[in-house]
Amino acid sequence: MLLSLITFLPVVFALMIWFSGSNEKALKQMAIAFTLIEFALSLLLFRYYDPSVATLQLVEQHTWVSQMGVSYFMGLDGISFWLVILTTFLTPITLLGSWTAVKSKTKGFLVCMLLLETSMIGTFLAMDAILFYVFFEVSLIPMYFLVGIWGGANRLYATMKFFIYTMFGSVFMLLAIIFMMFMAQSQLGFMSASLLDFYKLEIPFVAETFFSTQTLLFFAFSLAFAIKVPTFPFHTWLPDAHVQAPTPGSVILAGVMLKMGTYGFLRFVIPMFPQATEHWAWVLLALAVVGIIYGALVAMVQTDMKKLVAYSSVSHMGYVLLGLFALNTLGITGAIYQMLNHGISTGALFLLVGMVYERTHTREISNYGGLAGYAPIFSILFVIVTMSSIAVPMTNGFIGEFLILQGTFLAKKEFVFFAVTGVVLAAAYMLWMVKRVFFGKMGKVVQEFKDKNESLDINAREFAVMLPLIIMIFWMGLFPGTILKWSDTSVKHLVNNISKYELVIHKNSEANKSLYSKNDKLNIKEKIN
Amino acid sequence: MQVNDMLAVGLNHYLFLSAIIFSIGILTVLLRKNLIVILMGIELMLNAVNLSFIAFSHFSNNANGPVIVFFVMTLAAAEAGVGLALMVTIFKRFKVVDISIFEKLKN
Amino acid sequence: MLSTFTTMDLYLLSPMILLFIFSLVPVFTKVLNKNNEPSDMMSLYLPLIGIVFAFIATCGIILIKIVNGAPKLIFSGSIMVDGLAMWSVIIVLFITFFALVLIKESSFTPKHLFSEYVMLMLNAAVGMMVVAYSNDFILTFIGIEMASLCLYMLIAMSEETRLSKEAAIKYFVLGSLASAILLYGIAFIFGTTGTTQFAEITETAATLASTSRLFLVGCVLVFVGLGFKVSIFPFHFWTPDVYQGSSSPLTAFMAAGIKAVCFAALLRFFATGFLAVDRASGLVSTIQWLAVMSMMLGNIAALRQNHLKRILAYSSIAHSGYLLMGLLVVGLSTNSVLGASGTLFYLFSYAIMTIGAFGFLSLFEKSENSMVTVDHLKGLAYRRPYLALVISIFMLSLAGIPPLLGFFSKFYIFSAAMKQGLYWLVIWGVVSSVISVYFYLKPVVYMYMKQEDEALVGEFKDSASVSFTVGVSAALIVIVGLSSGPLYALIRGSVLSLF
């Protein structure tokens, strides 16, 4: 019950907001209160989830389309645990941070954000492939509206590109899922779309050719997730989407939605296709490394702050992919950690850029300079987040990148050399941007504000928004064990059993069998083949 | 006897005749511009099919053929009625019964 | 042999009979009323009640006969009352009900000929039901002709005097051509098999397809004839013009109704199994290419259109392509319940989406020369938020985006095709699905993300009947989409009898 409650409560809240009059201030307060309630609810997961076993917990399973073996199957394990918490953590922060960013049609905006929250949490908790696909696609719709209605000048092109590009990848994933459902029918005797049954399938693999079943399925799923991550060369939708999106849209897009891609790799690709992963990992590792370096280099030449942060996103997600496909405990743990880090630090960066944009209406770096003297608190926060992004020790970024690099070094040394240059490049573009914006000669825009004697520094609300993020940056940097212990067993279970991965449902060995095998009524009759 | 054998009309002859009439009908419908002529073409096609039904049922000793032909003739008559009614409407509005005017209306 | 029929047979035909009787009511009352239009009660509400009665009768038949018993052949084998027939009847009744609701307030309906209009529409529905019920090629032909003749007249009987006449005559010429080709094919099949009944053809179809070239030619001709009616490439050229020229409720009626029953007829035809032989492999690959071309051409042509009705017309060609994919599955395998139920479910969802999509178009058809382009929709979200939401639901569902009904119907059909091994066809199918997203999202973009166009605002008028129709359709799309399992199971159970 808890998982369904966490997933669908935002929809209930969205309906309540839709029918609640039009006092914008009241609506925003309601929404923030709602999302905080949601966050508190998700904290209950700490109480009910047992991190010492690598099983699927808090499971809910009901039939949905019995004829095709599709079920409403939700479950939580160490891999998805932190991602759910990240989502419920970032949403109230985003809403509070966008108090002044969205000026019109507030009701629709709040409804979109809440629906987006539902679809994202659903994606992380779904353990049935079709249910996952449904949530995966549904998340596109509110995002589409968010960018298209409240976005920047070129928003229509950006949002359409985002939608169609992402959907293009995921339809091939749908075909792969359907293929595996029929494979389940022939191998296990009943049709099922449940992930637990997919893990049990023996998919034929021929190493030499591209056209073996496992390889084709591997690439079908990988395409969908690679577009989402985004991996070079499928990343071209991201800069447009980020630049045109409103601040809250960018924060959620970078903070959570990109993680859906890497989560997909971790949940689907690596456990289901072990031989293909092992054989073809070099492709994704190479693309990850290219992404790291390419993202960093392009970021360096950007003149728009938001676009710079967008390309740094590409670079950082390259690290996550690198860690994932190192296929060892250190690498995958680092990847999960870096997913969380990226959510926090890049989310924070977008929030900060948004804050200054609201006041000055320009994001061009050349217009800035010497901001530190005039907006000290803002500058301090920005520099702290920059440190996290660059992976300075004591911040969360360091732990994540260090684990990833260590894991990749143990597995595939060749890629580490290139990846490490990414660390240097990241420092380069971020510090250079900080220098140009905050230090040095006072820029045009800052001068304007100084002349008008207006304050450019952040106010109390915005500080309250940033504070939890800053705290998390340091906590995750200094006490990583407290975070990692919740996902440790699941990751170890994955790595140790990677060639024959199986998830069992916690405490209830009866429910280990799939929904469709134990109940005669739901069994597909012989007549239907 | 011999002359009869040479002149014996078999199923194939009827089918060829039916096919020829059907083709004439199709060409009429596709190539002619006057609506009344097009309607005649449609009637030609339907009657060609009638011919082949009768031929098939005669040479297979199947009694269903003529029954089907009755149905088809009735329907062809109904279709002719509707077609002519449509033509009257077109004539009233456009003053000609010629489909080339429609090619110009398309934008 | 005398063919006997009992009251049970009459009960099984009751939807048809009821509709026919209720179709006579408006015209009779008009005659009795000295040729003045009778009141709404007589001319509109009674037929609507009649449709509801027919619907109840159909549900009764389904629950009593289909679920528990085997399909029943009545009238000496020419009518088959089975699951496929009953579900097609439900689709036709649904379409007719909402089309009748919509034509009352459509500005293109001739007010002084309203009773005749209703009578023709109901008789067209009866014709469609005849096709759904038929187990005999000739009955199929009769049904198609009956529905088509009524439709030709309905299209021409519009207040709009230019495009509708062109549409009517175009539809007439090409439709009659199609019927004649269909009939010629039936003749060949009759000649080679000695019968026109599907059940009996099934016995000899496979062997005949391998041996007799005449039989295969007959099958091709039947496919061509029926293909015209459902607008498969390359027989689709009439679709955009005819759909554009008719009034929106009529287009919905035509698009969904004729397509549903002709695909049902094609289903029965393909289920006879003539495609499953080696000799027919050329035909199979041709049909595959036709399906691909329909999907791609329909979607790509719609990309360049601005006129909403033409967009929907071209996209309906694409939907025919998806349905053809389902038909191929039925034709190729000997026991494809998956294919038949997928196709039937898709037809069902297509009917709901079509009536909704064309339904809201009738809100904009105010004057004779109105061309409803996407620009009319600009800024609609802020004038009529619920209507915009409903239109978005239709567009998203047609594009196949979860969790709406359109996604699940595509899911079932793609599953059937994948099971059959038609991988390339499915890949083309999903690619064209993604292409279609662009023009289905365009109205949504215009409604929500663009400022309204002052000049075009006046072309919009509110209408209670349209709101009712689109509201019900949208609700169905959401509800059935989220819980498609039971319905799909029901459909699947009822098509088992086909094989």
Side-chain angles (χ1 to χ4, degrees), chain A residues 18-19 64-68 70 105 130 133-135 137-138 141 144-145 147-149 155-156 159-160 163-165 167-168 171-172 174-176 178-179 181-182 185 191 524-529, chain C residues 335 337-338 382 385-386 392 396 399-403 407-408 411-412 414-416 418-419 423 426-427 430-431 434 437-438 441-442 444-445 448-450 481-486 488-489 492 496:
Chain A
W18 180 265
F19 290 115
W64 190 11
V65 182
S66 57
Q67 300 284 329
M68 304 291 280
V70 178
K105 308 166 200 143
I130 295 289
Y133 181 80
V134 168
F135 277 120
E137 293 288 292
V138 168
I141 303 174
Y144 175 78
F145 281 113
V147 178
I149 303 183
R155 57 190 188 275
L156 293 179
T159 194
M160 193 63 97
F163 194 93
I164 296 193
Y165 212 144
M167 189 164 171
F168 179 75
V171 284
F172 291 106
L174 177 67
L175 293 185
I178 297 178
F179 187 82
M181 282 164 64
F182 286 117
Q185 187 179 39
M191 210 147 137
I524 311 302
K525 301 191 182 15
E526 283 73 49
K527 256 199 220 168
I528 300 161
N529 46 319
Chain C
N335 188 4
V337 181
L338 208 56
Y382 309 109
Y386 289 106
S392 309
L396 290 174
I401 295 180
F407 166 71
F408 282 101
F411 171 58
Y412 295 134
F414 288 153
S415 306
M418 292 220 45
K419 179 79 195 281
Y423 297 126
V426 184
I427 291 181
V430 290
V431 169
V434 176
V437 168
Y438 178 74
L441 282 186
K442 219 159 60 154
V444 177
V445 169
Y448 282 95
M449 304 171 196
K450 287 207 179 208
L482 287 175
S483 58
S484 56
Y488 185 68
R492 194 155 169 172
L496 279 175

